[in-house]
Amino acid sequence: MQAVVCHGPADYRLEKLPVPSRRPGEALIRVEAVGICASDLKCYHGASKFWGDENRAAWAETEVVPGHEITGRIVELDDAARERWGVEVGDRIVVEQIVPCWNCRYCAEGNYHMCQVHDIYGFKRATHGGMQEYMVITQGSLVHRISADIPPAHAAFAEPLSCALHAVERADITFSDVVVVAGCGPIGLGMVAGAAAKSPAQVIALDMEPRKLELAARAGATMTIDISKQDPVARVRELTGGYGADVYLEATGHPSAVIQGLNLLRKLGRFIEYSVFKEAVTVDWTIISDDKELDVRGAHLGPNCWPAAIRLIEGGKLPLDDICTHQLPIAEFARGLDLVASGKESIKVSLIP
């Protein structure tokens, strides 16, 4: 079969590999689509260490098949896998990217997405990802069925959408809140849809591309602001009687958007961060503390949000025909990475093995 293999930064190769064999309790799937994520791009460019801790293990290993936004059909499984996941041969599934240990402190507390000793699809040798024609779903994985009636690229969007919905959950949005979403890429558009489902007073989307702002409006934004033409801080303050937004969801990965959010929020506001940054970000922490007493919350992966993400996709709540802009054969993986890097032509890019 064809597969993309990581041999190091900027050294991804299309290779011929044998179809993998499943072990007892595992499933073999035929991959139908795999999305390309900003974290895939970060690994491709070589940013494999955690900020501020160069002694920590890299989270992208070599000799790994990348890709963690995965959908496919089950072609082989045993009774143990059938009982664990409630699936049958022929079912289309999506798989969560993390494979928890189910034994550590975080797993015991129900916070499996923060598992201390996890594997993760597309980054660890134990769990090769979806940029290949067939892949094995390991025993500890979390698997969800999804409709076979939607396009494969739409099904694979369940992964970024679940992440966006988790960020929305972290925001504790109320009916009276003014919510601002910065960035209308795949994650930001998912945040817009998730925030809109909470029925706050307003959902305001920020971007500088008219096409993305139009998609944000279709996803549920009550207002859009082109930040290349208007000052979003001044505009939001104008809309809120000078106070500022209640909630700011950051989905750009650009340092300027962090500073923008701190300035745009009202006192006692909530800042939710879900981006993958290329570089460290420096801010004036006095804004967070003495000036505004802000709640700053991170968000990681999409724990317990996959069923909701699947419902939104199957219910047609997002304009996925226009969000999923590019579906490429696996042989064009390099072009796919370039499209994601430029961000000019594409929104969501998927490979179709």
Side-chain angles (χ1 to χ4, degrees), residues 98-104 107 112-113 115 117-119 140-142:
I98 192 168
V99 184
C101 73
W102 300 112
N103 293 311
C104 72
C107 288
Y112 70 87
H113 64 301
C115 175
V117 290
H118 64 278
D119 286 319
S141 300
L142 294 109

Side-chain angles (χ1 to χ4, degrees), residues 5-227:
V5 180
C6 166
H7 291 278
D11 187 10
Y12 285 25
R13 307 173 198 169
L14 185 67
E15 299 181 4
K16 286 282 190 179
L17 299 180
V19 173
S21 299
R22 66 168 186 86
R23 294 172 294 188
E26 298 181 335
L28 181 70
I29 69 166
R30 174 70 168 90
V31 179
E32 292 186 304
V34 56
I36 301 178
C37 173
S39 58
D40 294 318
L41 191 66
K42 183 176 180 180
C43 290
Y44 179 71
H45 288 156
S48 59
K49 297 288 186 180
F50 289 88
W51 288 118
D53 190 354
E54 291 301 315
N55 295 317
R56 218 168 149 186
W59 51 273
E61 297 176 349
T62 57
E63 314 304 322
V64 169
V65 176
H68 60 277
E69 299 180 3
I70 302 158
T71 190
R73 289 183 188 265
I74 294 176
V75 296
E76 187 180 298
L77 79 169
D78 59 15
D79 288 340
R82 183 177 289 109
E83 182 177 353
R84 178 181 298 110
W85 295 315
V87 296
E88 296 287 347
V89 170
D91 284 349
R92 176 188 276 169
I93 58 98
V94 288
V95 57
E96 298 195 27
Q97 65 275 58
I98 192 168
V99 184
C101 73
W102 300 112
N103 293 311
C104 72
R105 170 183 178 176
Y106 300 109
C107 288
E109 293 170 346
N111 296 312
Y112 70 87
H113 64 301
M114 301 304 297
C115 175
Q116 185 80 350
V117 290
H118 64 278
D119 286 319
I120 189 162
Y121 283 106
F123 297 97
K124 300 290 186 180
R125 295 187 192 98
T127 43
H128 291 291
M131 293 187 189
Q132 55 184 332
E133 294 180 67
Y134 292 88
M135 66 175 285
V136 169
I137 307 300
T138 60
Q139 283 192 36
S141 300
L142 294 109
V143 169
H144 307 273
R145 284 189 296 178
I146 192 166
S147 172
D149 295 331
I150 59 176
H154 295 193
F157 196 75
E159 193 281 331
L161 182 54
S162 70
C163 293
L165 295 184
H166 178 50
V168 169
E169 283 197 331
R170 292 280 287 158
D172 291 332
I173 293 169
T174 69
F175 295 131
S176 62
D177 282 338
V178 172
V179 179
V180 173
V181 177
C184 296
I187 295 290
L189 291 169
M191 288 175 174
V192 167
K198 296 283 187 178
S199 299
Q202 289 201 67
V203 178
I204 302 171
L206 311 181
D207 208 289
M208 58 178 62
E209 292 190 29
R211 174 183 60 159
K212 292 182 178 179
L213 291 170
E214 188 268 334
L215 287 173
R218 291 167 60 191
T222 56
M223 176 179 292
T224 63
I225 297 175
D226 185 336
I227 64 171

Side-chain angles (χ1 to χ4, degrees), residues 209-254:
E209 292 190 29
R211 174 183 60 159
K212 292 182 178 179
L213 291 170
E214 188 268 334
L215 287 173
R218 291 167 60 191
T222 56
M223 176 179 292
T224 63
I225 297 175
D226 185 336
I227 64 171
S228 69
K229 297 178 179 178
Q230 297 185 70
D231 178 353
V233 176
R235 184 73 179 110
V236 169
R237 284 181 180 165
E238 176 188 344
L239 293 166
T240 56
Y243 288 102
D246 302 281
V247 174
Y248 182 83
L249 294 153
E250 202 290 300
T252 71
H254 196 284

